[in-house]
């Protein structure tokens, strides 16, 4: 370990990277073909990426974790031995994420999840837009062209995409709450008192479930079902060790950097979906017109603009609209800007947004630590990827869960303001569990459609 805040360093040496094209395959086809990955990422406007093994790993602890990850990754990616005509879409990428708190312990259900962990896959598959690419990376003193070429041949020879449909959901045997309804009422009551006293403006409180499945968790099936139901969300799965996988389908982009173009957005204020089109439209109208919901959303949007001030220019707020997902609908404001900062610097500037932490940030984080009855771990924290140019995309790890064998732990939260009603916020949290629970329950949710903007 390095003396600075616990930075794990890979072997020094060059990075050898080679790419070949494979028969076209879906993301789940890749997962069914090549087995358990270390990292999976896909976004609505990006190709899917699946990583196996590690050419290099970077972990970090403490408040300097964002800079520490960038520094070490820059050393690895600085001068890759990679053909000039290699396709850009298949370039080497680090994939991983951060814990919500910089003092994350990485124990209990989060054993094996450091405060920050990223992997440059040894075998990286990129698929999308009718193309599938295999990139093999090797880094360190013993990295060689011949070893990389052998791996390319081996993976290519055994790559026969398995495009079977997902099996039936395994079913849920039992569910246990980490926070009882009585505890939740007291937590919300205490939070609203602190808000009315002036200590806070807003705080986001979360819950977790312990779910037992009838059969073991299948990542390919889970990713397929989430993709079918939430095609406009950021789907991810991260497994820093051989233990549990952290996966989900988040509706919230934290930030994307592509060259000097920056994209983010404010996603805050939530209502459910209606049982009929008319009821659904009325709920959307209530979301737009409610002073409570507008205030909750505007607080988040303004805070994001303030957070960008130090790292971006030409910040522009788009038109606020309602974003409809399968079980909920949110107010959403797109935000664009210009920045030459590395995407990890942008992540550091934006995390946590008021949509997952609160305001003022330090006071909200203190209340979260003092109040919640479970360890957030990587829930509501940044997950995503970055490359050697400092480009990348990160989502906020919402609608997410830990899964290991037949045990799954979903997470969900709600924003608490001065006039929040504990029972209303409780129901909002239950709606936010649905994306994960619907993956596993045999009966599923109702057949409502959506997952677009309105």
């Amino acid at each position: 370990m390095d003396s600075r805040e616990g930075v794990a360093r890979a072997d020094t040496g060059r990075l050898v990277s080679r790419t070949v094209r494979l028969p076209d395959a879906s993301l789940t086809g890749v997962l069914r073909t090549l087995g358990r990955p270390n990292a999976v990422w896909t976004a609505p406007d990006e190709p899917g990426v699946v990583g196996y093994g590690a050419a290099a790993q970077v972990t970090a602890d403490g408040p300097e974790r964002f800079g520490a990850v960038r520094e070490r990754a820059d050393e690895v990616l600085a001068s890759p031995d990679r053909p000039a005509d290699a396709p850009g879409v298949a370039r080497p990428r680090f994939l991983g994420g951060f814990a919500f708190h910089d003092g994350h312990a990485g124990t209990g259900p989060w054993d094996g999840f450091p405060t920050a962990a990223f992997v440059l896959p040894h075998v990286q598959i990129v698929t999308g837009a009718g193309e599938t690419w295999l990139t093999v990376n090797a880094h360190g003193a013993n990295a060689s062209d011949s070893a990389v070429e052998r791996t390319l041949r081996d993976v290519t020879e055994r790559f026969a995409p398995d495009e079977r449909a997902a099996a039936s959901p395994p079913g849920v045997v039992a569910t246990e709450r980490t926070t009882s309804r009585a505890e939740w009422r007291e937590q919300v009551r205490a939070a609203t008192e602190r808000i009315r006293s002036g200590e806070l403006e807003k705080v986001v409180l979360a819950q977790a479930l312990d779910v037992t499945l009838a059969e073991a968790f299948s990542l390919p099936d889970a990713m397929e079902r989430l993709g079918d139901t939430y095609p406009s969300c950021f789907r991810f799965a991260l497994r820093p060790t051989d233990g549990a996988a952290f996966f989900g389908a988040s509706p919230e982009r934290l930030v994307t950097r592509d060259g000097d173009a920056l994209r983010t957005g404010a996603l805050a204020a939530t209502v459910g979906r209606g049982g009929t089109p008319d009821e659904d439209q009325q709920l959307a109208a209530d979301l737009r017109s409610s002073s409570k919901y507008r205030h909750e959303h505007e607080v988040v949007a303004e805070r994001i603009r303030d957070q960008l001030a130090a790292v971006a220019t030409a910040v522009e707020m788009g038109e606020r609209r309602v974003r409809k997902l399968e079980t909920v609908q949110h107010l959403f404001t797109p935000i664009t800007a210009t920045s030459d900062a590395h995407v990890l610097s942008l992540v550091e500037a934006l995390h946590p947004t008021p949509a997952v932490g609160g305001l003022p940030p330090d006071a909200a984080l203190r209340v979260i630590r003092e109040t919640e009855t479970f360890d957030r771990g990587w829930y509501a924290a940044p997950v995503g990827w970055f490359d050697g140019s400092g480009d990348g995309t990160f989502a906020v790890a919402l609608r997410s869960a830990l899964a290991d064998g037949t045990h799954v732990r979903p997470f969900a939260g709600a924003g608490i303001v001065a006039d929040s009603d504990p029972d209303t916020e409780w129901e909002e949290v239950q709606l936010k569990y649905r994306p994960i629970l619907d993956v596993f329950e045999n009966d599923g949710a109702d057949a409502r459609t959506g997952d677009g903007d309105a």
Side-chain angles (χ1 to χ4, degrees):
M1 298 291 286
D2 174 298
S3 61
R4 296 163 309 134
E5 298 292 348
V7 179
R9 292 181 167 273
D11 292 337
T12 59
R14 66 175 184 150
L15 170 63
V16 180
S17 182
R18 298 288 185 270
T19 298
V20 297
R21 190 165 179 176
L22 293 175
D24 191 33
S26 68
L27 185 81
T28 52
V30 173
L31 294 173
R32 295 188 201 286
T33 300
L34 296 180
R36 294 181 72 194
N38 298 88
V40 183
W41 172 266
T42 186
D45 52 357
E46 297 180 4
V49 184
V50 184
Y52 297 89
Q57 290 179 304
V58 179
T59 64
D61 295 309
E64 303 302 321
R65 62 196 189 280
F66 299 99
V69 168
R70 175 184 174 179
E71 179 182 340
R72 181 61 193 114
D74 281 350
E75 293 175 3
V76 174
L77 297 171
S79 300
D81 179 351
R82 177 168 166 79
D85 60 352
V89 70
R91 63 196 180 278
R93 311 172 192 226
F94 273 93
L95 300 101
F98 298 89
F100 186 82
H101 298 289
D102 58 27
H104 167 72
T107 58
W110 291 102
D111 183 39
F113 285 80
T115 311
F118 284 80
V119 61
L120 174 68
H122 176 49
V123 172
Q124 173 185 292
I125 310 288
V126 176
T127 183
E131 297 181 346
T132 299
W133 298 93
L134 162 65
T135 297
V136 175
N137 303 303
H139 178 261
N142 297 321
S144 68
D145 297 7
S146 59
V148 167
E149 293 291 346
R150 281 196 301 271
T151 303
L152 280 173
R153 288 194 300 270
D154 177 63
V155 176
T156 301
E157 289 171 359
R158 62 190 178 92
F159 188 77
D162 182 348
E163 300 289 357
R164 288 175 296 169
S168 298
V172 173
V173 174
T175 301
E176 182 178 350
R177 299 185 183 279
T178 60
T179 306
S180 71
R181 191 155 190 160
E183 288 173 325
W184 175 256
R185 285 174 174 151
E186 176 56 27
Q187 289 174 1
V188 174
R189 184 199 61 77
T192 55
E193 285 185 359
R194 295 171 84 161
I195 292 169
R196 286 192 288 268
S197 75
E199 179 183 352
L200 289 169
E201 184 174 353
K202 172 187 177 180
V203 64
V204 179
L205 298 180
Q207 304 175 17
L209 294 176
D210 284 320
V211 178
T212 302
L213 306 178
E215 299 174 9
F217 165 76
S218 165
L219 180 60
D221 288 354
M223 296 297 285
E224 182 174 335
R225 292 193 190 101
L226 289 172
D228 289 344
T229 310
Y230 300 95
S232 72
C233 288
F234 300 83
R235 286 178 292 149
F236 60 90
L238 300 166
R239 191 169 56 87
T241 66
D242 289 334
F246 180 53
F247 77 102
S250 174
E252 185 169 353
R253 183 194 308 271
L254 181 63
V255 66
T256 292
R257 178 184 183 263
D258 184 4
D260 64 356
L262 180 159
R263 284 185 291 156
T264 182
L267 188 78
T270 306
V271 298
R273 297 297 304 275
T276 67
D278 286 346
E279 183 183 351
D280 198 54
Q281 289 303 316
Q282 184 58 55
L283 285 167
D286 294 344
L287 185 62
R288 291 189 186 96
S289 62
S290 164
S291 59
K292 173 186 180 296
Y293 290 135
R294 287 202 313 271
H295 174 70
E296 181 181 350
H297 182 80
E298 288 165 2
V299 163
V300 172
E302 289 303 313
R303 173 61 181 172
I304 291 173
R305 181 160 63 181
D306 292 345
Q307 288 170 300
L308 288 174
V311 291
T313 59
V315 179
E316 294 187 6
M317 313 290 281
E319 182 178 355
R320 184 169 60 202
R321 58 184 185 264
V322 174
R323 185 173 180 200
K324 294 177 180 287
L325 300 172
E326 181 77 2
T327 58
V328 296
Q329 40 194 333
H330 306 280
L331 288 177
F332 173 67
T333 299
I335 302 171
T336 59
T338 300
S339 179
D340 60 2
H342 192 287
V343 70
L344 288 179
S345 297
L346 303 176
V347 168
E348 182 176 13
L350 290 169
H351 174 73
T353 71
V356 295
L359 287 173
D362 290 344
L365 293 178
R366 182 173 63 252
V367 171
I368 289 169
R369 284 181 179 275
E370 293 171 354
T371 303
E372 291 180 350
T373 58
F374 68 100
D375 182 1
R376 280 196 181 195
W378 286 27
Y379 164 68
V383 294
W385 66 270
F386 63 91
D387 64 15
S389 299
D391 290 343
T393 294
F394 281 78
V396 181
L398 305 174
R399 316 300 191 267
S400 57
L402 275 173
D404 192 5
T406 58
H407 180 253
V408 178
R409 172 171 277 200
F411 306 91
I416 309 303
V417 293
D419 57 351
S420 288
D421 173 69
D423 291 330
T424 300
E425 304 298 349
W426 174 275
E427 295 305 324
E428 178 180 320
V429 171
Q430 310 320 302
L431 285 172
K432 291 176 178 177
Y433 282 136
R434 292 295 351 151
I436 298 300
L437 293 177
D438 288 348
V439 168
F440 302 112
E441 291 182 346
N442 287 317
D443 53 356
D446 59 32
R448 190 186 300 114
T449 58
D451 202 9
D453 293 318

